[in-house]
Amino acid sequence: MKNMDRLSNVLFGGYDKVDTLQYIDLLTTRIYELETVLENKKNAKAYAMPLPVPKPNIKSTALGGFDKNDVDSYVSELLTKINELIVKIGEEP
């Protein structure tokens, strides 16, 4: 999985850095929440599924942002991890 520190900067275009970091933070928080749900389910503890991840609202910028390909790739990996956790939660007894 690509690390956040490997998101390249571009001089022209790209995604707004603040929007990007906020969305990545939301996704990583959701992964943590789902991991906690899975652990609680395995241990027969009470749990509540977190809210679904909203569609991203990452604006493009004219000058200086994160490389769109890097961000799209990283976000895709995070969303894949979220979906895998949801499937695991559904499959666990």
Side-chain angles (χ1 to χ4, degrees), residues 23-79:
Y23 190 60
I24 288 172
D25 184 52
L26 175 67
L27 294 175
T28 54
T29 298
R30 199 64 84 234
I31 288 170
Y32 172 76
E33 291 169 346
L34 289 167
E35 288 172 340
T36 301
V37 165
L38 184 59
E39 189 63 30
N40 286 345
K41 186 172 183 179
K42 285 180 181 179
N43 294 323
K45 294 182 180 177
Y47 65 89
M49 286 296 286
L51 297 173
V53 176
K55 297 252 186 223
N57 187 21
I58 303 173
K59 295 183 278 290
S60 293
T61 183
L63 297 172
F66 285 127
D67 180 87
K68 289 184 177 186
N69 291 328
D70 287 352
V71 172
D72 291 342
S73 174
Y74 187 50
V75 165
S76 177
E77 291 176 21
L78 293 173
L79 290 171

